Amino acid sequence: MSLILGLNAFHGDASACILRDGVMIAAAEEERFRRIKHWAGFPSEAVRYCLQAAGASLSDVDHIALNQDGKANLARKVAFTLKQRPEMALVLERLRNKHERAGAADHLARAFPDAKFKGRVHAVEHHIAHLSSAFHVSPFEEAVVVSVDGFGDFASAAWGVGRGTRIEVEGRVHFPHSLGIFYQAITQFIGFPHYGDEYKVMGLAPYGQPTYLDAMRRIVRLLPTGAFELDLDYFRHHREKIDYQWEDGSPHVGSLFSDRLASLLGPARAGDEPLEQRHKDIARSAQAMYEEAFFHLLNALHSKHRLSAVALSGGCAMNSVANGKVTVRSPFSSLYVQSAAGDAGGAIGAALSVWHDLGGARGEVHTHAYWGPSFDAGEVDALIDSRAASIEAAGCRVERLDDAALFEQTAAAIARGEVVGWFQGRMEWGPRALGNRSILGDPRRGDMKDILNLKIKRRESFRPFAPSVLREAVPDWFELDGDVPFMMQVYPIRMERRATIAAVTHVDGTGRLQTVTAAANPRYHALITAFHKLTGVPMVLNTSFNENEPVVCTPVEALDCFLRTRMDRLVMGNLVLSRTQPHA
């Protein structure tokens, strides 16, 4: 029996997972325990949870797989350093700051002083971990595999072919060229400075026109090989010391674009300035440029390999708008993107890469993302008892329902326009709430988006909400059909259906859907089925259970979020808290 602990450490979205004989037991991001978004550092609490879920101690672990390898692409690093001699100190400092840095084993020893790790630590190249995280849990025995992100181990992209347990990497894009850096720099330029804000640009883009696309083509150049490069005059990251913060806490990246970008696009927007049409047009143009480069690469890879399937990974694989067009704008007919496509998912990829290098066989396909902590009815009851006074003061009643009544009454509440906190089973792995840590609403209500944005989520009004839809209903409501279990693709909603589900239809007529099956999540499926029976609409609006914080993990976090916002109903397992006077 073999236990492998996979880690994404010393980077944003720190995380851990654990495999027993190649089978996933548990996985979680550190932010869910630390309560700091995109937490960077060593994922000690995620490790603690994974060991507990496996019924193991640190001394039982045979292998630790870390999704970075300071020796990877070393020749490229040295060549770049010699070429950029005036900036040699900058590059050498980056290399010294690699946090194999203090050593994973040393961090584990400090976090778990009562147990001794006796196994072996494996350094897995960043992009190999990404590729493994997508292909080795996909349904494909053979597929093109692609990883695109900011940077990891001196590369920003890698691609090749996966067959069985092996992945043959045939190409990379190296530092300083990066599609991820391009998109992040434009995100900063539009006035969204925080790590992970790129999704705001995706949400803003449909409100604009690609009027700056020619300018974007000067920034990103497409190469005959299918690869891409940047015009580095518009960037700082390759020649100046950028303020990177990868220590414990929220990650921070300093300004990536140079002053020359303003000469091309006009002045950058400060975060407190209003969003103008120009900023929306820049967002649309940046998304269009990303898609040009993305499909330029995919089409070149399909032309070379003639395979029907592609598996995507890396932070750029979170671009659900582009992902939704893969079967339309490329010859690929099948796509798989795992639920934690970004750096968190590197923990899985590192672990699986080591497992297969040791001769392990392919494991199960990941058709769901429920690898996090769960809490039983006794724990929920104890919490409610301990907080009885505050619950009563908030004007809430508490009741326990059997499954049939729970699904029927919750569906009816959603149909009445109530906002429901839905807390069930194991927490999701990855950034999306997928029906176990979700806030739910009626997709038919045109005002539901405003209710959620202003009274619950308190976020930008242009950001869309997602539909969780019964898998079998997808072709009746969307122009494309496919399995999208992790909300990683955006599909056009059928024209005749858009007015019916106004709350989940974005301004361009699309929706970032999650397909739901009884096999993957029977309780969520039962709830949506009850809503469908009541309303004729086979979906609910789904957004993450949080309020400008990481998605809730524990019952106490769910209760606190419910009480401090204007949610109408909280469902934890079969226990229901409902306000006596729900908002209109």
Side-chain angles (χ1 to χ4, degrees), residues 73 76 125 127 147-159 169-180 221 223 225-230 293 297:
N73 302 308
R76 286 274 183 170
E125 184 186 344
H127 284 281
S147 168
V148 184
D149 66 7
F151 288 115
D153 288 330
F154 215 70
S156 71
W159 55 85
V169 179
E170 62 178 31
R172 290 178 175 84
V173 174
H174 293 95
F175 184 93
H177 303 285
S178 168
L179 269 185
R221 293 190 287 261
L223 305 179
T225 60
F228 46 83
E229 66 180 16
L230 302 179
L297 175 58

mmCIF file of all heavy atoms in Angstrom, residues 73 76 125 127 147-159 169-180 221 223 225-230 293 297:
data_model
loop_
_atom_site.group_PDB
_atom_site.id
_atom_site.type_symbol
_atom_site.label_atom_id
_atom_site.label_comp_id
_atom_site.label_asym_id
_atom_site.label_seq_id
_atom_site.Cartn_x
_atom_site.Cartn_y
_atom_site.Cartn_z
ATOM 1 N N ASN A 73 14.282 23.119 -16.788
ATOM 2 C CA ASN A 73 14.594 24.188 -17.750
ATOM 3 C C ASN A 73 15.811 25.000 -17.312
ATOM 4 O O ASN A 73 15.899 26.215 -17.565
ATOM 5 C CB ASN A 73 13.386 25.114 -17.929
ATOM 6 C CG ASN A 73 12.151 24.354 -18.391
ATOM 7 O OD1 ASN A 73 12.198 23.616 -19.367
ATOM 8 N ND2 ASN A 73 11.058 24.515 -17.670
ATOM 9 N N ARG A 76 17.805 26.907 -19.970
ATOM 10 C CA ARG A 76 17.113 28.122 -20.388
ATOM 11 C C ARG A 76 17.335 29.251 -19.380
ATOM 12 O O ARG A 76 17.529 30.411 -19.748
ATOM 13 C CB ARG A 76 15.619 27.849 -20.524
ATOM 14 C CG ARG A 76 15.265 27.033 -21.743
ATOM 15 C CD ARG A 76 15.103 27.948 -22.937
ATOM 16 N NE ARG A 76 14.685 27.202 -24.112
ATOM 17 C CZ ARG A 76 14.288 27.777 -25.242
ATOM 18 N NH1 ARG A 76 14.253 29.088 -25.341
ATOM 19 N NH2 ARG A 76 13.937 27.039 -26.266
ATOM 20 N N GLU A 125 8.224 18.948 -12.249
ATOM 21 C CA GLU A 125 8.159 20.204 -12.997
ATOM 22 C C GLU A 125 6.726 20.726 -13.032
ATOM 23 O O GLU A 125 5.765 19.987 -13.239
ATOM 24 C CB GLU A 125 8.682 20.009 -14.418
ATOM 25 C CG GLU A 125 8.714 21.306 -15.206
ATOM 26 C CD GLU A 125 9.097 21.109 -16.671
ATOM 27 O OE1 GLU A 125 9.623 20.045 -17.013
ATOM 28 O OE2 GLU A 125 8.847 22.040 -17.456
ATOM 29 N N HIS A 127 4.734 22.392 -15.067
ATOM 30 C CA HIS A 127 3.807 22.136 -16.166
ATOM 31 C C HIS A 127 3.564 20.648 -16.382
ATOM 32 O O HIS A 127 2.487 20.261 -16.859
ATOM 33 C CB HIS A 127 4.283 22.812 -17.448
ATOM 34 C CG HIS A 127 4.053 24.285 -17.445
ATOM 35 N ND1 HIS A 127 2.826 24.855 -17.700
ATOM 36 C CD2 HIS A 127 4.886 25.315 -17.163
ATOM 37 C CE1 HIS A 127 2.913 26.170 -17.598
ATOM 38 N NE2 HIS A 127 4.163 26.470 -17.267
ATOM 39 N N SER A 147 -1.011 22.830 -21.202
ATOM 40 C CA SER A 147 -0.964 23.626 -19.975
ATOM 41 C C SER A 147 -0.520 25.039 -20.332
ATOM 42 O O SER A 147 0.516 25.218 -20.983
ATOM 43 C CB SER A 147 0.018 23.010 -18.969
ATOM 44 O OG SER A 147 0.275 23.898 -17.899
ATOM 45 N N VAL A 148 -1.322 26.022 -19.918
ATOM 46 C CA VAL A 148 -0.990 27.424 -20.170
ATOM 47 C C VAL A 148 -1.267 28.216 -18.897
ATOM 48 O O VAL A 148 -2.364 28.127 -18.333
ATOM 49 C CB VAL A 148 -1.825 28.012 -21.326
ATOM 50 C CG1 VAL A 148 -1.380 29.445 -21.622
ATOM 51 C CG2 VAL A 148 -1.709 27.166 -22.589
ATOM 52 N N ASP A 149 -0.278 28.977 -18.423
ATOM 53 C CA ASP A 149 -0.506 29.805 -17.236
ATOM 54 C C ASP A 149 0.432 30.998 -17.242
ATOM 55 O O ASP A 149 0.894 31.425 -18.301
ATOM 56 C CB ASP A 149 -0.403 28.982 -15.948
ATOM 57 C CG ASP A 149 0.988 28.426 -15.665
ATOM 58 O OD1 ASP A 149 1.941 28.771 -16.399
ATOM 59 O OD2 ASP A 149 1.135 27.658 -14.703
ATOM 60 N N GLY A 150 0.687 31.559 -16.051
ATOM 61 C CA GLY A 150 1.616 32.672 -15.944
ATOM 62 C C GLY A 150 3.030 32.160 -16.125
ATOM 63 O O GLY A 150 3.580 32.155 -17.220
ATOM 64 N N PHE A 151 3.643 31.699 -15.026
ATOM 65 C CA PHE A 151 4.946 31.054 -15.102
ATOM 66 C C PHE A 151 5.043 29.983 -14.039
ATOM 67 O O PHE A 151 4.434 30.095 -12.969
ATOM 68 C CB PHE A 151 6.095 32.052 -14.880
ATOM 69 C CG PHE A 151 6.314 32.997 -16.004
ATOM 70 C CD1 PHE A 151 6.102 34.357 -15.829
ATOM 71 C CD2 PHE A 151 6.729 32.541 -17.245
ATOM 72 C CE1 PHE A 151 6.295 35.246 -16.868
ATOM 73 C CE2 PHE A 151 6.917 33.427 -18.296
ATOM 74 C CZ PHE A 151 6.701 34.778 -18.104
ATOM 75 N N GLY A 152 5.813 28.965 -14.338
ATOM 76 C CA GLY A 152 6.177 27.951 -13.365
ATOM 77 C C GLY A 152 7.408 27.232 -13.855
ATOM 78 O O GLY A 152 7.431 26.734 -14.996
ATOM 79 N N ASP A 153 8.454 27.213 -13.046
ATOM 80 C CA ASP A 153 9.715 26.577 -13.431
ATOM 81 C C ASP A 153 10.221 27.095 -14.778
ATOM 82 O O ASP A 153 10.623 26.339 -15.662
ATOM 83 C CB ASP A 153 9.566 25.053 -13.457
ATOM 84 C CG ASP A 153 9.452 24.475 -12.061
ATOM 85 O OD1 ASP A 153 10.021 25.072 -11.125
ATOM 86 O OD2 ASP A 153 8.786 23.436 -11.895
ATOM 87 N N PHE A 154 10.147 28.430 -14.929
ATOM 88 C CA PHE A 154 10.727 29.154 -16.058
ATOM 89 C C PHE A 154 10.006 28.889 -17.385
ATOM 90 O O PHE A 154 10.517 29.166 -18.457
ATOM 91 C CB PHE A 154 12.222 28.840 -16.216
ATOM 92 C CG PHE A 154 13.029 30.019 -16.682
ATOM 93 C CD1 PHE A 154 13.249 31.101 -15.846
ATOM 94 C CD2 PHE A 154 13.577 30.054 -17.947
ATOM 95 C CE1 PHE A 154 13.978 32.199 -16.271
ATOM 96 C CE2 PHE A 154 14.325 31.149 -18.389
ATOM 97 C CZ PHE A 154 14.518 32.227 -17.546
ATOM 98 N N ALA A 155 8.803 28.356 -17.322
ATOM 99 C CA ALA A 155 7.993 28.155 -18.528
ATOM 100 C C ALA A 155 6.583 28.670 -18.260
ATOM 101 O O ALA A 155 6.126 28.715 -17.120
ATOM 102 C CB ALA A 155 7.965 26.680 -18.920
ATOM 103 N N SER A 156 5.897 29.041 -19.345
ATOM 104 C CA SER A 156 4.524 29.529 -19.206
ATOM 105 C C SER A 156 3.527 28.628 -19.908
ATOM 106 O O SER A 156 2.317 28.810 -19.748
ATOM 107 C CB SER A 156 4.403 30.943 -19.783
ATOM 108 O OG SER A 156 4.500 30.919 -21.203
ATOM 109 N N ALA A 157 4.008 27.669 -20.673
ATOM 110 C CA ALA A 157 3.104 26.748 -21.365
ATOM 111 C C ALA A 157 3.875 25.480 -21.714
ATOM 112 O O ALA A 157 5.105 25.507 -21.856
ATOM 113 C CB ALA A 157 2.535 27.385 -22.636
ATOM 114 N N ALA A 158 3.137 24.392 -21.831
ATOM 115 C CA ALA A 158 3.711 23.124 -22.278
ATOM 116 C C ALA A 158 2.603 22.323 -22.929
ATOM 117 O O ALA A 158 1.430 22.457 -22.578
ATOM 118 C CB ALA A 158 4.324 22.346 -21.115
ATOM 119 N N TRP A 159 2.975 21.482 -23.860
ATOM 120 C CA TRP A 159 1.970 20.665 -24.544
ATOM 121 C C TRP A 159 2.602 19.387 -25.072
ATOM 122 O O TRP A 159 3.819 19.254 -25.169
ATOM 123 C CB TRP A 159 1.326 21.451 -25.689
ATOM 124 C CG TRP A 159 2.301 22.000 -26.685
ATOM 125 C CD1 TRP A 159 2.850 21.381 -27.760
ATOM 126 C CD2 TRP A 159 2.866 23.323 -26.669
ATOM 127 N NE1 TRP A 159 3.707 22.211 -28.416
ATOM 128 C CE2 TRP A 159 3.730 23.406 -27.786
ATOM 129 C CE3 TRP A 159 2.693 24.435 -25.828
ATOM 130 C CZ2 TRP A 159 4.445 24.573 -28.073
ATOM 131 C CZ3 TRP A 159 3.405 25.588 -26.125
ATOM 132 C CH2 TRP A 159 4.272 25.650 -27.234
ATOM 133 N N VAL A 169 5.921 15.282 -23.461
ATOM 134 C CA VAL A 169 5.929 16.735 -23.661
ATOM 135 C C VAL A 169 6.768 17.048 -24.886
ATOM 136 O O VAL A 169 7.920 16.639 -24.991
ATOM 137 C CB VAL A 169 6.498 17.453 -22.426
ATOM 138 C CG1 VAL A 169 6.517 18.964 -22.658
ATOM 139 C CG2 VAL A 169 5.668 17.126 -21.191
ATOM 140 N N GLU A 170 6.177 17.792 -25.816
ATOM 141 C CA GLU A 170 6.889 18.056 -27.070
ATOM 142 C C GLU A 170 7.152 19.536 -27.321
ATOM 143 O O GLU A 170 7.856 19.880 -28.266
ATOM 144 C CB GLU A 170 6.105 17.486 -28.248
ATOM 145 C CG GLU A 170 4.732 18.104 -28.433
ATOM 146 C CD GLU A 170 4.011 17.532 -29.644
ATOM 147 O OE1 GLU A 170 4.241 16.356 -29.977
ATOM 148 O OE2 GLU A 170 3.222 18.264 -30.259
ATOM 149 N N GLY A 171 6.611 20.402 -26.488
ATOM 150 C CA GLY A 171 6.848 21.822 -26.705
ATOM 151 C C GLY A 171 6.576 22.639 -25.460
ATOM 152 O O GLY A 171 5.780 22.238 -24.602
ATOM 153 N N ARG A 172 7.261 23.773 -25.348
ATOM 154 C CA ARG A 172 7.085 24.688 -24.230
ATOM 155 C C ARG A 172 7.249 26.117 -24.718
ATOM 156 O O ARG A 172 7.916 26.378 -25.722
ATOM 157 C CB ARG A 172 8.119 24.434 -23.123
ATOM 158 C CG ARG A 172 7.951 23.135 -22.342
ATOM 159 C CD ARG A 172 9.080 23.001 -21.318
ATOM 160 N NE ARG A 172 8.927 21.850 -20.442
ATOM 161 C CZ ARG A 172 9.312 20.610 -20.730
ATOM 162 N NH1 ARG A 172 9.894 20.372 -21.905
ATOM 163 N NH2 ARG A 172 9.145 19.629 -19.866
ATOM 164 N N VAL A 173 6.660 27.030 -23.978
ATOM 165 C CA VAL A 173 6.969 28.462 -24.107
ATOM 166 C C VAL A 173 7.678 28.855 -22.822
ATOM 167 O O VAL A 173 7.178 28.600 -21.725
ATOM 168 C CB VAL A 173 5.707 29.315 -24.304
ATOM 169 C CG1 VAL A 173 6.060 30.799 -24.278
ATOM 170 C CG2 VAL A 173 5.016 28.952 -25.612
ATOM 171 N N HIS A 174 8.846 29.463 -22.956
ATOM 172 C CA HIS A 174 9.662 29.778 -21.795
ATOM 173 C C HIS A 174 9.582 31.250 -21.415
ATOM 174 O O HIS A 174 9.142 32.095 -22.197
ATOM 175 C CB HIS A 174 11.129 29.395 -22.060
ATOM 176 C CG HIS A 174 11.348 27.920 -22.184
ATOM 177 N ND1 HIS A 174 11.364 27.275 -23.400
ATOM 178 C CD2 HIS A 174 11.547 26.963 -21.236
ATOM 179 C CE1 HIS A 174 11.569 25.974 -23.203
ATOM 180 N NE2 HIS A 174 11.686 25.767 -21.905
ATOM 181 N N PHE A 175 9.987 31.544 -20.188
ATOM 182 C CA PHE A 175 10.146 32.910 -19.694
ATOM 183 C C PHE A 175 10.995 33.696 -20.700
ATOM 184 O O PHE A 175 11.991 33.162 -21.202
ATOM 185 C CB PHE A 175 10.851 32.848 -18.330
ATOM 186 C CG PHE A 175 11.003 34.171 -17.644
ATOM 187 C CD1 PHE A 175 10.045 34.603 -16.745
ATOM 188 C CD2 PHE A 175 12.092 34.980 -17.894
ATOM 189 C CE1 PHE A 175 10.189 35.831 -16.100
ATOM 190 C CE2 PHE A 175 12.242 36.203 -17.273
ATOM 191 C CZ PHE A 175 11.282 36.630 -16.367
ATOM 192 N N PRO A 176 10.628 34.934 -21.018
ATOM 193 C CA PRO A 176 9.626 35.785 -20.373
ATOM 194 C C PRO A 176 8.281 35.856 -21.093
ATOM 195 O O PRO A 176 7.470 36.724 -20.785
ATOM 196 C CB PRO A 176 10.314 37.146 -20.398
ATOM 197 C CG PRO A 176 11.072 37.138 -21.699
ATOM 198 C CD PRO A 176 11.549 35.724 -21.878
ATOM 199 N N HIS A 177 8.047 34.976 -22.078
ATOM 200 C CA HIS A 177 6.816 35.042 -22.876
ATOM 201 C C HIS A 177 5.709 34.246 -22.187
ATOM 202 O O HIS A 177 5.950 33.120 -21.730
ATOM 203 C CB HIS A 177 7.078 34.517 -24.288
ATOM 204 C CG HIS A 177 8.168 35.266 -24.981
ATOM 205 N ND1 HIS A 177 7.994 36.534 -25.487
ATOM 206 C CD2 HIS A 177 9.474 34.939 -25.217
ATOM 207 C CE1 HIS A 177 9.129 36.955 -26.019
ATOM 208 N NE2 HIS A 177 10.040 36.019 -25.862
ATOM 209 N N SER A 178 4.511 34.829 -22.143
ATOM 210 C CA SER A 178 3.444 34.179 -21.378
ATOM 211 C C SER A 178 2.082 34.783 -21.706
ATOM 212 O O SER A 178 1.900 36.002 -21.588
ATOM 213 C CB SER A 178 3.712 34.327 -19.876
ATOM 214 O OG SER A 178 2.580 33.962 -19.125
ATOM 215 N N LEU A 179 1.130 33.922 -22.093
ATOM 216 C CA LEU A 179 -0.250 34.382 -22.271
ATOM 217 C C LEU A 179 -0.869 34.767 -20.932
ATOM 218 O O LEU A 179 -1.673 35.698 -20.856
ATOM 219 C CB LEU A 179 -1.091 33.277 -22.920
ATOM 220 C CG LEU A 179 -1.177 33.245 -24.445
ATOM 221 C CD1 LEU A 179 -2.143 32.156 -24.879
ATOM 222 C CD2 LEU A 179 -1.592 34.588 -25.013
ATOM 223 N N GLY A 180 -0.505 34.033 -19.900
ATOM 224 C CA GLY A 180 -1.028 34.355 -18.578
ATOM 225 C C GLY A 180 -0.580 35.723 -18.105
ATOM 226 O O GLY A 180 -1.368 36.486 -17.529
ATOM 227 N N ARG A 221 2.297 38.062 -30.357
ATOM 228 C CA ARG A 221 2.563 37.618 -31.722
ATOM 229 C C ARG A 221 2.430 36.100 -31.803
ATOM 230 O O ARG A 221 2.940 35.376 -30.930
ATOM 231 C CB ARG A 221 3.958 38.051 -32.175
ATOM 232 C CG ARG A 221 4.113 39.560 -32.313
ATOM 233 C CD ARG A 221 5.418 39.919 -33.000
ATOM 234 N NE ARG A 221 6.561 39.703 -32.125
ATOM 235 C CZ ARG A 221 7.175 40.664 -31.440
ATOM 236 N NH1 ARG A 221 6.733 41.912 -31.512
ATOM 237 N NH2 ARG A 221 8.211 40.394 -30.688
ATOM 238 N N LEU A 223 3.238 32.549 -33.602
ATOM 239 C CA LEU A 223 4.357 31.961 -34.337
ATOM 240 C C LEU A 223 3.882 30.813 -35.215
ATOM 241 O O LEU A 223 2.872 30.158 -34.908
ATOM 242 C CB LEU A 223 5.413 31.473 -33.355
ATOM 243 C CG LEU A 223 5.930 32.519 -32.355
ATOM 244 C CD1 LEU A 223 6.963 31.902 -31.417
ATOM 245 C CD2 LEU A 223 6.508 33.727 -33.085
ATOM 246 N N THR A 225 4.775 27.882 -35.459
ATOM 247 C CA THR A 225 4.752 26.585 -34.765
ATOM 248 C C THR A 225 3.463 26.353 -33.995
ATOM 249 O O THR A 225 3.212 25.239 -33.524
ATOM 250 C CB THR A 225 5.917 26.506 -33.773
ATOM 251 O OG1 THR A 225 5.780 27.583 -32.819
ATOM 252 C CG2 THR A 225 7.249 26.627 -34.492
ATOM 253 N N GLY A 226 2.660 27.394 -33.819
ATOM 254 C CA GLY A 226 1.493 27.322 -32.951
ATOM 255 C C GLY A 226 1.729 28.025 -31.627
ATOM 256 O O GLY A 226 0.777 28.286 -30.886
ATOM 257 N N ALA A 227 2.984 28.334 -31.329
ATOM 258 C CA ALA A 227 3.325 29.014 -30.081
ATOM 259 C C ALA A 227 3.093 30.521 -30.227
ATOM 260 O O ALA A 227 2.556 31.000 -31.230
ATOM 261 C CB ALA A 227 4.765 28.714 -29.690
ATOM 262 N N PHE A 228 3.537 31.281 -29.237
ATOM 263 C CA PHE A 228 3.281 32.708 -29.181
ATOM 264 C C PHE A 228 4.444 33.377 -28.464
ATOM 265 O O PHE A 228 5.214 32.726 -27.762
ATOM 266 C CB PHE A 228 1.973 32.988 -28.438
ATOM 267 C CG PHE A 228 1.845 32.208 -27.153
ATOM 268 C CD1 PHE A 228 2.438 32.656 -25.981
ATOM 269 C CD2 PHE A 228 1.163 31.006 -27.138
ATOM 270 C CE1 PHE A 228 2.352 31.921 -24.813
ATOM 271 C CE2 PHE A 228 1.074 30.262 -25.966
ATOM 272 C CZ PHE A 228 1.660 30.711 -24.804
ATOM 273 N N GLU A 229 4.567 34.687 -28.639
ATOM 274 C CA GLU A 229 5.561 35.456 -27.902
ATOM 275 C C GLU A 229 5.011 36.854 -27.651
ATOM 276 O O GLU A 229 4.077 37.307 -28.323
ATOM 277 C CB GLU A 229 6.888 35.518 -28.653
ATOM 278 C CG GLU A 229 6.827 36.277 -29.960
ATOM 279 C CD GLU A 229 8.177 36.305 -30.673
ATOM 280 O OE1 GLU A 229 9.053 35.494 -30.314
ATOM 281 O OE2 GLU A 229 8.344 37.139 -31.592
ATOM 282 N N LEU A 230 5.579 37.524 -26.673
ATOM 283 C CA LEU A 230 5.174 38.873 -26.315
ATOM 284 C C LEU A 230 6.133 39.899 -26.912
ATOM 285 O O LEU A 230 7.322 39.624 -27.084
ATOM 286 C CB LEU A 230 5.173 39.049 -24.787
ATOM 287 C CG LEU A 230 4.302 38.108 -23.965
ATOM 288 C CD1 LEU A 230 4.468 38.425 -22.484
ATOM 289 C CD2 LEU A 230 2.844 38.175 -24.392
ATOM 290 N N ALA A 293 -4.730 33.391 -29.757
ATOM 291 C CA ALA A 293 -3.505 32.648 -29.444
ATOM 292 C C ALA A 293 -3.825 31.223 -28.997
ATOM 293 O O ALA A 293 -3.141 30.263 -29.390
ATOM 294 C CB ALA A 293 -2.722 33.390 -28.361
ATOM 295 N N LEU A 297 -2.787 27.738 -31.117
ATOM 296 C CA LEU A 297 -2.052 26.595 -30.578
ATOM 297 C C LEU A 297 -2.847 25.301 -30.723
ATOM 298 O O LEU A 297 -2.324 24.287 -31.192
ATOM 299 C CB LEU A 297 -1.717 26.847 -29.101
ATOM 300 C CG LEU A 297 -1.053 25.701 -28.336
ATOM 301 C CD1 LEU A 297 0.255 25.288 -28.993
ATOM 302 C CD2 LEU A 297 -0.826 26.080 -26.873
#
